[in-house]
């Protein structure tokens, strides 16, 4: 909720903080509204939603020591992204936007971690949860 991600190292039953990084751009100084966070199935990227003024997904690479590096932002193409999901293969990310009543599907580049909208958005009133089922 504070627009920050804390990274910890876990060793011998002890958590040690190794990093704290903002999910929002440097342009935003107040009014943070973070929501959901997920790590890609390959463990190489972390994604976190920013609601409010930004309405995007912050994209971070994860290095071998667990440190995060911001590599960009992807608009969720709506307002107030609440929940998103990555499919089991890590190829797709589905984002829901509560205030614009839409769901958007993104294809995830497994090498860069970046997202690109694919297909048509789906209109759905008050969407606040997304689940993906493999068929």
């Amino acid at each position: 909720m504070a627009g920050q991600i804390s990274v910890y190292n876990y060793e011998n039953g002890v958590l040690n903080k190794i990093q704290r990084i903002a999910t929002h751009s440097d342009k935003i100084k107040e009014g943070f509204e973070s929501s959901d966070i997920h790590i890609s199935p390959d463990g190489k990227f972390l994604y976190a939603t920013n609601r409010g003024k930004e309405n995007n997904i912050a994209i971070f690479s994860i290095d071998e020591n667990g440190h995060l590096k911001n590599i960009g932002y992807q608009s969720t193409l709506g307002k107030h992204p609440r929940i998103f999901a990555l499919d089991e293969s890590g190829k797709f990310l589905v984002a829901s936007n509560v205030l614009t009543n839409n769901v958007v599907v993104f294809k995830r580049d497994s090498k860069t971690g970046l997202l690109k909208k694919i297909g048509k958005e789906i209109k759905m009133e008050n969407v606040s949860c997304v689940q993906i089922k493999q068929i």
Side-chain angles (χ1 to χ4, degrees):
M1 298 304 287
Q4 300 279 322
I5 297 171
S6 295
V7 180
Y8 293 85
N9 180 19
Y10 178 77
E11 191 172 344
N12 299 321
V14 178
L15 284 173
N16 295 303
K17 189 187 301 186
I18 59 174
Q19 183 184 23
R20 185 161 169 91
I21 189 169
T23 63
H24 53 84
S25 74
D26 293 338
K27 297 175 188 174
I28 305 298
K29 301 297 181 197
E30 60 184 40
F32 311 124
E33 294 186 50
S34 302
S35 182
D36 204 1
I37 185 169
H38 295 280
I39 294 175
S40 60
D42 60 13
K44 295 180 181 179
F45 299 95
L46 181 141
Y47 300 87
T49 50
N50 290 308
R51 300 179 286 182
K53 297 175 184 175
E54 293 180 275
N55 296 305
N56 65 26
I57 296 176
I59 305 168
F60 299 89
S61 61
I62 304 172
D63 73 16
E64 62 277 352
N65 295 317
H67 289 93
L68 303 177
K69 177 183 174 190
N70 183 287
I71 58 171
Y73 299 92
Q74 171 64 54
S75 169
T76 59
L77 304 172
K79 290 184 180 176
H80 207 75
R82 188 172 181 110
I83 301 296
F84 69 95
L86 288 159
D87 76 310
E88 288 179 11
S89 72
K91 292 180 183 177
F92 301 100
L93 184 148
V94 179
S96 67
N97 296 292
V98 176
L99 296 182
T100 48
N101 299 313
N102 66 326
V103 176
V104 181
V105 179
F106 297 92
K107 184 163 179 62
R108 189 179 79 87
D109 185 309
S110 62
K111 290 187 174 93
T112 66
L114 298 177
L115 305 170
K116 181 179 179 182
K117 180 190 176 287
I118 61 169
K120 295 180 181 179
E121 72 177 52
I122 300 163
K123 287 293 190 181
M124 192 176 298
E125 287 196 35
N126 300 315
V127 59
S128 62
C129 184
V130 175
Q131 297 289 319
I132 300 173
K133 179 182 179 184
Q134 298 288 58
I135 300 176

